[in-house]
Amino acid sequence: MISLFILKKFGLTTTIAKKTSDKGLNILDFIIDRFDKSFSKTTTYLKVKRAVDSMIADNKFLFSPFEYVEVLIPFGLKSVNFLTKNNLFRIEEAKNIILNHTKNDNDFLFTKNNSNKFVEAHKYFEKYAASDKDNEIAYISIFWKLAKKGKLNKNDLLNMGIDDSFIEEMLSKGYLFEMGDFILVATKENRDIFNEFKKIKELEKQKKLFKDMKKNPSEAVKEYRKTSNLLDLEECLLNLDDNIGTLRKRLSGKTLEEIAKPLNLSRERVRQKQAKLILLFPKLQEDVIFKELFQTYEISLESFLNIFKENEKVFNYLKLRYSKGDKELFDWIISSEIPKNQKEDLIKIENKYLSYDGSIKDINRVNFIGEILFENRKKINYFTQDFLKEKYNQYVLNRGYKKLYAENARSLFQSAEKSDFSISTRNGKIRFHDNYISKDVQKELVDVIESYDDGIYSMRKVVEENKDLMEEIDIRDGYELHNLFRRFISCEVIKKYGRSPEFQIGHNSKKTFILNKIKESAGISSETFANQLQKDYGLLNTSTMAYISSNFRKYIGRDKIIESSEIIPEDKSFYKIMKNKLGKNVYLYKDITNLIAKLGYDYPASQLILNECGYRFSGKMIWKNNFPNISAAFTNEILSNHFYEIKDEEIYKTIDFFSVMSRLEREFKVIRISSNKIVKTEFLEQQGLNLSLIPEFIKNVKKYINYGEYFSLYSLIESGFNNNLLDYGFEPIAYERILMTDREIRPVNRTGMIVFQKTRDRPTLEKFYSDILSSVGIMDEFDFKEDINTKFGTNFELDEIRNRLTSYGAYYSRPLNKFYFDKEDYLNEVYGR
């Protein structure tokens, strides 16, 4: 097909051109003068052919180099280096080139579909060629190369012998477009592509800018300004028609008052004028660089100047044009890859510092003490006043905070006691403690306290009776627990905190409490009395002996509590009534006291009275005296029926009941089939359960699980474990309680779905979280929580995970929401070291 574009160029209408093209005339037939007047819109095919034949015969080709090359190049002429205005092909040579040319798929032919865009491109070339005849052939050569391939590598053009300055000139005039390594003809279609390309390149440039700003802010800004086509603030101000200079003054730091007063204008009028001028500003480099950052973060002038090395004028421009963000700039600083020392300098500007957990804190004595305690938590058990002072002063001087130097050790220690990362114990010592206690654990602790009757207690009792819980929250003794409650845990039943580690429940003072206990204990030795108070209330027996010797000497005779008629009922019918009312194996002491009161008597339930009724007591527990101890009494009660219900009553929350239940479960005499129901295994055996399946189940689990591995009943089953005992379909709690009877399968937690570890040590949640983190090294905190809960079927909360991990020695970045097991990984990513 002959080009419609070529045919129409010589004056033919679309219809004639198409008809002529379809006839298959040789392209040489149309190498004629474009200004030939013998053609018109009515010219027929035969007239065109006769005219061409006549011109060929007479050798009358009238054409310029532009027309000659324009026609020959697409049809096989590969080189035009020797074509100049003064050295043209002879006609016969041109004719032979064209007539003998064999068409192939790589030849370029204009078609109806692609003609229009080249017509448009040709207009640009004609305009340029007409004005620069010296470069006409080179220009036409570029055009046809581009017309054939659509785009050319710039090196291809240089290899064609075309001067680089000539290409740059055409690019600058808009006849060509440069897209990366390629050159395109300036068609409308290509212009749209080029505009999109420019947008993409600008976005890429901005993306690189923001990425580089995370590493070296000032250098990144400097590099962007070198390549940006936008005006900067200074250039814009040069073109600004600000006849009274108000905006320039404002950008230089002058206040509205300072500008308005000499001009006899109101501040509001000046502000309005400036706001109007700012709106007329085009998009500046400063807008691209700082807009998002400025609108997101709250940036001070000092920080802005230090980070970006810009002048105050730029900062004031941003203040006038944009509203400041409310997010802490520290988040951006920490998440950046700026070197650690620069980060610390930038944060220090705002009188803050970067804490060990990745958070930003105020520079003060209390916070620095927390850092010192944390750094030394694995090296030093406890700090004394003098030792803390030594470590503290060394810390502040090394970091250049001489103003915070401590002269007085006692005053410093008092500050240390206020730290959220300290806990005090006896003899004026202190150590690191996170002090974060989850709401669930706080409730568990409060529940323990609320289970106690009115009286004076020592936190030693709570610690001794809840060792697993104490290990979970890293509490070592009653003094620490006492201070933890006083500072961080609200417990309404504690009416008063006494001398550490004592506390008061109810309204009776310690003196009244001890006196009442003395009256209840007539007939027993003072040493037994003191030992009983230590067992039941945690009060040290030596302290109790000293206390009653100082305050209640008249009640002591021959080292015994003296009997008194005031507290012994003389009415013998009283004992008969009491025996009729009593019958259970075990009671709480207060239940017997309430019973006596309901019967209309005002007697304490002393040991003498209980002896007459066939019972004995120790502390808060009373049991039938035909049992040697409280354990035997509880055991008899639990095993007296096939099923036993643990009611929501105080007696079932006592340490005595808990101890008996644990023993019976270890001996496989009972199985807990729900949270509050027990069944005798003897009964289950009668129903067809092979009791040997229970130890076999434990044995198979231990064989299936590697030593040190963590698992839950959920993860065990999900991993494909199977056992005959599982086929009985007990509640999960039954299988969990069975596993807990083994000394080598230790529970990590005790609420919700239980996670176990196969170990002989005592596992903790802190160690569990840390071991999981150690397997990945670095992990997003939300993914970490999700992975654990998905794998083990648990419902651990993120706050608890975060605080337990950091207190155990892991590292955490709050801005990045990541956990780090290794310190070097933490420093490299958070501090950019």
Side-chain angles (χ1 to χ4, degrees), residues 419-434:
S419 170
D420 287 343
F421 302 97
S422 71
I423 197 160
S424 304
T425 187
R426 63 190 306 175
N427 300 326
K429 293 180 180 178
I430 204 167
R431 71 176 177 91
F432 173 82
H433 191 273
D434 194 324

Side-chain angles (χ1 to χ4, degrees), residues 47 77 104 178 194 228 487 575 617 634 760:
K47 183 178 180 182
L77 189 59
N104 59 57
E178 187 172 19
F194 182 65
S228 177
R487 293 185 60 197
Y575 299 106
F617 92 99
F634 263 135
R760 295 182 187 89

Side-chain angles (χ1 to χ4, degrees), residues 7 41 124 133 187 198 292 356 380 423 439 454 496 504 565 618 706 714-715:
L7 294 172
K41 291 183 179 181
Y124 287 100
K133 294 293 182 182
T187 65
K198 285 200 298 185
E292 183 178 344
Y356 70 86
I380 302 167
I423 197 160
K439 290 180 180 178
D454 290 358
K496 182 181 179 181
Q504 175 184 318
S565 59
S618 175
N706 295 321
Y714 174 83
S715 69

Side-chain angles (χ1 to χ4, degrees), residues 810-825:
Y811 299 87
Y812 170 66
S813 169
R814 195 176 302 274
L816 299 180
N817 301 120
K818 282 185 179 180
F819 294 127
Y820 304 82
F821 181 78
D822 186 75
K823 185 177 182 180
E824 285 304 311
D825 289 337

Side-chain angles (χ1 to χ4, degrees), residues 615-674:
Y615 284 83
R616 65 176 68 182
F617 92 99
S618 175
K620 67 194 297 185
M621 305 305 296
I622 293 175
W623 69 95
K624 283 183 178 180
N625 58 16
N626 59 324
F627 296 107
N629 50 48
I630 186 69
S631 176
F634 263 135
T635 300
N636 178 269
E637 180 179 318
I638 293 169
L639 296 179
S640 60
N641 294 294
H642 297 321
F643 294 92
Y644 187 78
E645 183 177 0
I646 304 174
K647 297 177 181 177
D648 187 20
E649 296 175 4
E650 189 176 338
I651 195 168
Y652 300 111
K653 299 174 184 177
T654 60
I655 188 67
D656 302 280
F657 180 79
F658 176 79
S659 298
V660 172
M661 275 303 310
S662 296
R663 177 176 56 80
L664 292 176
E665 287 181 278
R666 283 196 305 273
E667 294 171 355
F668 303 138
K669 290 184 177 178
V670 297
I671 293 178
R672 191 182 292 245
I673 55 174
S674 71

Side-chain angles (χ1 to χ4, degrees), residues 126-144:
E126 282 190 316
K127 186 186 299 182
Y128 186 84
S131 63
D132 189 359
K133 294 293 182 182
D134 291 336
N135 292 312
E136 183 178 14
I137 294 177
Y139 195 85
I140 295 164
S141 175
I142 294 173
F143 169 73
W144 285 109

Side-chain angles (χ1 to χ4, degrees), residues 514-548:
I514 297 294
L515 177 59
N516 288 337
K517 286 299 172 185
I518 287 173
K519 290 179 179 180
E520 295 169 3
S521 305
I524 66 173
S525 70
S526 54
E527 184 179 355
T528 301
F529 174 75
N531 288 338
Q532 192 167 296
L533 286 186
Q534 179 168 306
K535 176 181 180 295
D536 298 333
Y537 297 92
L539 302 173
L540 274 179
N541 51 11
T542 52
S543 299
T544 300
M545 290 289 286
Y547 190 83
I548 61 177

